[in-house]
Amino acid sequence: MAGAAPAIQAQGAWPEKPVTLVVPYSAGGPTDVVARVLAVPMGKSLGQTVVVENTVGAGGTLAGARVARSKPDGYTVLFQHMGMSTAPALYKKLSFDPLKDFDYIGQVMDVPMTLLSRKDLPVANFQELQAYMKANGDKVSMAHAGIGAVSQLCALLFTSQLGVTPTQIPYKGAGPALNDLMGGQVDVLCDQTTSTGPVIKDGQRVKVYGVTTPQRLSSFPNLPTLDEQGLKGFDVKVWHGMYVAKGTPKDAIGKINAALRAALQDDTVKTRLAELSSEIVPMDKVTPESLQKQLQSEMVKWEKVIKAANVQAE
């Protein structure tokens, strides 16, 4: 028993240095913005600075590989969206296993998506949009932010459920895709409210047909869901979670989880995420068990969609 005390003391001292929050996408993007909103209050809870680092590339998988290979001490944390669940189906040679190479901190928040078209598309509502897309087939262009992007995944699920085959137009990011939609160069786009919210509120540059979640959004209460308009069971949201390398001490996992829970209940964080049309998950989902369950079910869901569409990332 004499040798046990130093180990307990060492665990109790965690964290002894800054914690790195690894974001798989570029600075200023939706995931990065949320990470930086969370970093400050999490750092206060932990008593150490939480540093956000962007590890960009390969559809977010470079960041996943970095954290999977990191020392399992809790000082390197991955903040990733639903791309964690789609990577195994998209990449033939993925250098990590989302289910085997990580321990879980908890779910964080969901970002709903919206279905938009160019302003002058000759349809007035979702029913007319469906008929238009079915009648025009590949003459209809549907933009997305690149292979594996959440906008492409939404497009794949939408077109498969609708039974249509528009021409998919990939862009290098959601910004250029939305710009071309507003400019009338492409017909349809499905993207996150963090990007589309201001344009929808403006009401002048696009048409909006619905939200992709089963429930209406508090930020757009008058905007119907695709489900209630006839696309039964349609549910796409950009869910987010935090992960650490497999084998991280339970003490560190518990403290990171506690810091995350405290941050999500902070009034400033709540206000900022609401401004981004993001929805904080209920506290019973901010757990390792809930995140693991979410990841497993989403991997099954998206594997079917991606394989059916025969989409492969490099």
Side-chain angles (χ1 to χ4, degrees), residues 221-245:
N222 296 323
L223 187 58
T225 70
L226 299 187
D227 175 87
E228 71 183 79
Q229 296 182 89
L231 209 60
K232 293 300 179 185
F234 195 85
D235 182 11
V236 180
K237 52 182 173 285
V238 189
W239 58 272
H240 294 68
M242 285 189 184
Y243 308 79
V244 288

Side-chain angles (χ1 to χ4, degrees), residues 157 161 212-214 227 231 233-237 298 301-302:
L157 188 62
Q161 283 196 219
T212 64
T213 49
D227 175 87
L231 209 60
F234 195 85
D235 182 11
V236 180
K237 52 182 173 285
E298 287 280 293
K301 170 183 174 178
W302 288 110

Side-chain angles (χ1 to χ4, degrees), residues 18-21 35 38-44 46 48-52 77 259:
V19 174
T20 299
L21 190 58
L38 295 172
V40 173
M42 286 185 69
K44 288 180 179 177
L46 292 171
Q48 290 284 352
T49 302
V50 174
V51 180
V52 176
V77 181

Side-chain angles (χ1 to χ4, degrees), residues 134-247:
K134 289 178 179 179
N136 289 278
D138 62 5
K139 293 179 182 178
V140 178
S141 57
M142 191 160 192
H144 63 76
I147 300 297
V150 292
S151 53
Q152 187 200 28
L153 297 169
C154 182
L156 291 177
L157 188 62
F158 171 67
T159 56
S160 66
Q161 283 196 219
L162 199 59
V164 298
T165 53
T167 298
Q168 301 276 353
I169 309 294
Y171 284 80
K172 292 183 178 179
L178 183 58
N179 285 337
D180 271 12
L181 185 80
M182 292 188 292
Q185 281 78 46
V186 289
D187 296 322
V188 185
L189 171 69
C190 181
D191 202 12
Q192 302 176 58
T193 51
T194 43
S195 298
T196 65
V199 178
I200 294 171
K201 289 175 182 176
D202 172 77
Q204 302 296 317
R205 293 172 286 178
V206 298
K207 291 180 179 178
V208 56
Y209 301 96
V211 297
T212 64
T213 49
Q215 297 82 30
R216 294 194 183 196
L217 308 182
S218 57
S219 51
F220 297 103
N222 296 323
L223 187 58
T225 70
L226 299 187
D227 175 87
E228 71 183 79
Q229 296 182 89
L231 209 60
K232 293 300 179 185
F234 195 85
D235 182 11
V236 180
K237 52 182 173 285
V238 189
W239 58 272
H240 294 68
M242 285 189 184
Y243 308 79
V244 288
K246 191 73 174 181

Side-chain angles (χ1 to χ4, degrees), residues 30-77:
T31 305
D32 174 77
V33 169
V34 174
R36 294 177 190 277
V37 170
L38 295 172
V40 173
M42 286 185 69
K44 288 180 179 177
S45 294
L46 292 171
Q48 290 284 352
T49 302
V50 174
V51 180
V52 176
E53 289 189 7
N54 304 88
T55 301
V56 182
T61 61
L62 288 184
R66 172 186 170 184
V67 176
R69 294 193 301 262
S70 69
K71 186 177 180 181
D73 55 11
Y75 289 105
T76 307
V77 181

